[in-house]
Amino acid sequence: MTDTRLITVTPTRARRKAAETPERSAISDADRRRPSVKATMTTLQIAFFSFLVIAGVGPILWLAKAALSTTQDTISQPFAWFPSGIQWGNLAAAWEQIQVGRYLANTAVMAVGSTISTVVVTASLAYVISILRPRWAKFLSGAILVTLFVPGVISLVPLYLTVVDVPLVGVSLIDTYWAVWLPAAANAFTVLIVTRFFDEIPREIIEAARVDGVGPLRMFFIIVLPFSKSILGVIAVLTILNSWKDFLWPMLVLPGSELQPISVALARIAGKTDLSLQMSAMLLGLLIPIAVFLIFQRQILKGVSMSGGIKG
């Protein structure tokens, strides 16, 4: 009786002691309390943080400054603090003359369509590979994994030729949003992440649903998707951000100005528009992805931490 109690109590005390023991680092606590070491550590932390702020936020702040300055001030005194005053009218002029609103709407349509196609295809493939597990699931997973090692430049020409003349259908998707939505859905990275997430769903729940007569389609909607709201939300937000800043592929498949996103439109009119209006248009196009990230940053970090599995 005594031995059993010792066996059950000892691991608990060991775990508690290990949890209370502080983590060891290269600098001991005694050295940290020394004034010279403390001053050096504080200086390094401030310098490192300042470097991160300048490298990350500096270009955005300069863009905002250039967007609210005259063209002459930006060229002659790029780092001066508004020599001619703040030009708030640049934003309204860029919105009207460059038609920023129309191009932002095109970008939103492109991003939303890419997000829907990515989430649908990603969740479906991951469900087949992880939950249904047919005999050919391993081959499909291996084929998807292989595509990660193929550089995007190599697949660019075959993908473009496929969009120009779709096999079996014989139609061209050039200058249509389908040329952007469909390739965006075939994202091997998101498929592997969601597959890994589905692998961690307790198999007891899946087996119990099968015993109760739940079919594959119903299981997908009432069991798998409710478990996967966080990771699918992360995939959706990341797809929106990637679509918003995509440039090369939309430029190739959307040559007409009517459907071009803001990234392609700004490059097309670069040599025809005043520099201050270009900077203002760039600032307006940058505000939306920044706002999306700031609003959903907690969900993004939470979903990324949960992508390795379901805990609890």
Side-chain angles (χ1 to χ4, degrees):
M1 189 69 178
T2 304
D3 294 340
T4 304
R5 184 169 55 192
L6 288 175
I7 292 174
T8 56
V9 172
T10 301
T12 304
R13 291 179 177 176
R15 287 194 297 268
R16 187 183 304 169
K17 184 178 180 180
E20 294 176 354
T21 303
E23 295 183 0
R24 304 183 63 179
S25 61
I27 303 176
S28 63
D29 293 337
D31 290 336
R32 289 179 183 273
R33 287 190 291 267
R34 294 171 55 187
S36 59
V37 176
K38 188 175 181 179
T40 302
M41 293 293 296
T42 303
T43 303
L44 291 176
Q45 291 174 357
I46 294 175
F48 186 68
F49 178 76
S50 302
F51 172 77
L52 291 179
V53 171
I54 294 174
V57 185
I60 299 177
L61 295 178
W62 185 89
L63 175 62
K65 180 261 176 188
L68 300 176
S69 301
T70 63
T71 301
Q72 187 62 31
D73 290 343
T74 302
I75 296 176
S76 61
Q77 299 175 330
F79 295 103
W81 189 254
F82 301 108
S84 302
I86 301 178
Q87 309 295 322
W88 294 105
N90 290 349
L91 298 177
W95 186 272
E96 296 176 0
Q97 298 181 22
I98 304 181
Q99 297 181 336
V100 175
R102 188 186 74 178
Y103 294 123
L104 288 178
N106 294 343
T107 308
V109 172
M110 188 182 72
V112 171
S114 299
T115 301
I116 294 175
S117 62
T118 299
V119 171
V120 171
V121 174
T122 297
S124 302
L125 283 176
Y127 178 69
V128 171
I129 296 173
S130 177
I131 304 300
L132 298 184
R133 296 182 180 180
R135 294 182 179 180
W136 42 268
K138 293 183 179 180
F139 298 99
L140 179 60
S141 179
I144 294 174
L145 181 62
V146 167
T147 60
L148 290 176
F149 299 94
V150 179
V153 178
I154 295 178
S155 61
L156 187 64
V157 174
L159 183 59
Y160 180 78
L161 295 177
T162 303
V163 171
V164 170
D165 187 9
V166 180
L168 302 178
V169 181
V171 298
S172 177
L173 300 180
I174 295 297
D175 219 6
T176 65
Y177 284 126
W178 290 105
V180 179
W181 295 342
L182 295 180
N187 192 324
F189 180 72
T190 57
V191 172
L192 293 178
I193 289 180
V194 178
T195 300
R196 172 60 180 163
F197 191 90
F198 285 0
D199 289 339
E200 299 299 326
I201 296 178
R203 300 301 299 182
E204 293 81 4
I205 299 178
I206 305 298
E207 297 300 330
R210 288 174 177 171
V211 171
D212 292 339
V214 178
L217 187 61
R218 187 182 175 194
M219 185 185 302
F220 177 71
F221 285 103
I222 69 173
I223 295 179
V224 176
L225 288 185
F227 269 102
S228 312
K229 290 181 179 179
S230 59
I231 191 63
L232 293 180
V234 172
I235 296 299
V237 173
L238 294 180
T239 303
I240 291 176
L241 295 178
N242 291 331
S243 299
W244 203 273
K245 65 181 182 180
D246 196 8
F247 171 74
L248 180 58
W249 183 249
M251 182 187 65
L252 294 176
V253 299
L254 298 175
S257 61
E258 295 297 327
L259 302 179
Q260 286 181 347
I262 187 69
S263 58
V264 179
L266 290 178
R268 179 175 54 83
I269 64 176
K272 308 175 184 178
T273 311
D274 189 71
L275 180 61
S276 61
L277 297 186
Q278 294 180 35
M279 296 294 104
S280 300
M282 292 176 63
L283 179 63
L284 292 174
L286 189 64
L287 293 179
I288 294 180
I290 291 178
V292 170
F293 177 78
L294 293 178
I295 293 173
F296 296 101
Q297 61 175 333
R298 181 173 299 178
Q299 287 77 3
I300 293 175
L301 297 177
K302 180 180 178 181
V304 171
S305 65
M306 294 180 63
S307 62
I310 300 175
K311 296 181 180 181

